[in-house]
Amino acid sequence: MWRRPDITQQGVMWYLSWDCQYSCEYCWTQGWRRSKIKSYWTLNDAQEFTNVLESLMCPPLQHSFSGGEPTAVEWFEEFAAWLLKRGNVVFVNSNMSNDVIVNLAEIGKGLMNINASYQHGFADVDDFINKVHSVNSFGSTVYVSIVLFPPLLHHLRLVKERFDKEGIGNGGILFHGLWNGGSYPNDYTLDDERVLEDTWGIRIETCTPVPTKGHPCRAGKDFITAWPGKNITGCLSSHAESIPNYMGIARPDFKLLECAYPCEVEYCPCAEIGEALRC
């Protein structure tokens, strides 16, 4: 059973790097990987900044990792193991392309939560399934997500059937972006929409985001985002440009916001976490 992030627990979303072992056509971070980042995190940086956060928040904290692929960072396994041994809860979005997640699940017993993203064309489905079962065997939770890229839609239905047969929780994520002259998710065909509803239980017309502008949000006070360049923001939005959202560089004198500020963007980009952080 997938365990959602606990909205009552303070924490941080880490984007340690945009690097990834894969090069999926539909990945939104492809452009970011070509960007010039002034400085990247080191293991020592991340540990020192964690100590700063623990002095400001109420540990144990909730550490979430995304990217890029977190396990592509050579010291990620050491850092995550360090966090787990201190009693922190660790959420990781990973493509399961190596054994790092399995190793951490054995260390973290019950403190690891994995969103395993299956990337067709790169991942071997049998190897992927074996790793998911291994992680589950150590008491960690895994949920498999699959980007519903239009040209793969019908094949991914067969992949889902395999996961279902193995008893692995899984779900589809609508593709957001441009492909073959279309803008998605608006340009899924009627045939695509039938597959989305019959196989994944997704109806395009019901996927309307909830407006968030003006709602007080605890991001920056109880939850922060740490970016590859060591910049810290309150929330994940690149459109929130006010001083409260940009909180500076990760340094020993870093401070949290004193109160919840109104959300500036029309629709929160933080998905479940962002909605949960609304006061």
Side-chain angles (χ1 to χ4, degrees):
M1 177 68 70
W2 167 245
R3 187 174 140 207
R4 296 179 184 274
D6 181 358
I7 64 172
T8 66
Q9 191 171 9
Q10 294 178 308
V12 54
M13 167 65 84
W14 295 91
Y15 288 87
L16 298 175
S17 169
W18 298 125
D19 294 339
C20 183
Q21 303 95 325
Y22 298 162
S23 56
C24 303
E25 183 180 353
Y26 45 79
C27 182
W28 67 273
T29 67
Q30 288 278 17
W32 287 100
R33 287 175 215 166
R34 294 188 290 269
S35 66
K36 295 181 180 179
I37 302 297
K38 293 181 179 178
S39 61
Y40 284 87
W41 293 92
T42 65
L43 174 60
N44 186 63
D45 291 336
Q47 290 177 327
E48 288 188 352
F49 190 59
T50 296
N51 289 332
V52 172
L53 293 178
E54 288 183 352
S55 72
L56 299 172
M57 296 179 175
C58 297
L61 304 182
Q62 190 164 256
H63 293 262
S64 301
F65 293 88
S66 192
E69 168 60 30
T71 67
V73 177
E74 59 179 333
W75 47 266
F76 168 75
E77 183 173 358
E78 184 177 352
F79 180 45
W82 179 78
L83 292 171
L84 291 165
K85 290 173 181 177
R86 291 159 70 101
N88 297 285
V89 174
V90 174
F91 286 79
V92 185
N93 292 294
S94 174
N95 57 32
M96 309 290 280
S97 53
N98 51 48
D99 293 327
V100 169
I101 297 300
V102 176
N103 297 340
L104 289 171
E106 185 173 8
I107 294 171
K109 292 185 172 60
L111 293 174
M112 282 284 290
N113 297 270
I114 312 301
N115 177 53
S117 55
Y118 174 78
Q119 311 299 348
H120 180 70
F122 293 92
D124 176 83
V125 67
D126 292 315
D127 178 66
F128 188 93
I129 287 172
N130 288 337
K131 287 174 180 172
V132 169
H133 285 321
S134 294
V135 171
N136 278 324
S137 72
F138 292 120
S140 294
T141 59
V142 187
Y143 185 82
V144 174
S145 62
I146 306 171
V147 176
L148 302 176
F149 193 42
L152 301 178
L153 201 56
H154 290 272
H155 179 78
L156 292 175
R157 177 167 49 183
L158 302 178
V159 174
K160 176 177 172 52
E161 290 174 0
R162 179 75 188 280
F163 288 141
D164 290 344
K165 184 178 180 180
E166 293 284 340
I168 295 173
N170 65 90
I173 300 174
L174 292 176
F175 170 61
H176 287 75
L178 303 175
W179 178 78
N180 199 30
S183 178
Y184 291 80
N186 295 331
D187 286 341
Y188 279 108
T189 66
L190 290 177
D191 184 45
D192 289 341
E193 290 186 17
R194 281 191 288 270
V195 174
L196 290 171
E197 184 169 2
D198 294 346
T199 305
W200 307 93
I202 296 174
R203 297 182 65 182
I204 301 293
E205 63 267 26
T206 64
C207 299
T208 304
V210 178
T212 54
K213 189 169 185 177
H215 287 274
C217 179
R218 294 187 290 114
K221 178 177 177 290
D222 295 321
F223 178 92
I224 63 166
T225 303
W227 299 95
K230 297 173 65 176
N231 291 308
I232 308 299
T233 61
C235 77
L236 297 176
S237 176
S238 60
H239 303 293
E241 298 175 346
S242 74
I243 293 174
N245 188 49
Y246 178 69
M247 302 177 69
I249 301 292
R251 301 190 313 184
D253 60 352
F254 176 82
K255 299 295 183 184
L256 295 169
L257 301 181
E258 295 182 357
C259 63
Y261 282 84
C263 180
E264 300 176 20
V265 295
E266 201 65 43
Y267 299 105
C268 180
C270 303
E272 294 170 357
I273 294 178
E275 277 298 291
L277 285 170
R278 285 170 55 184
C279 296

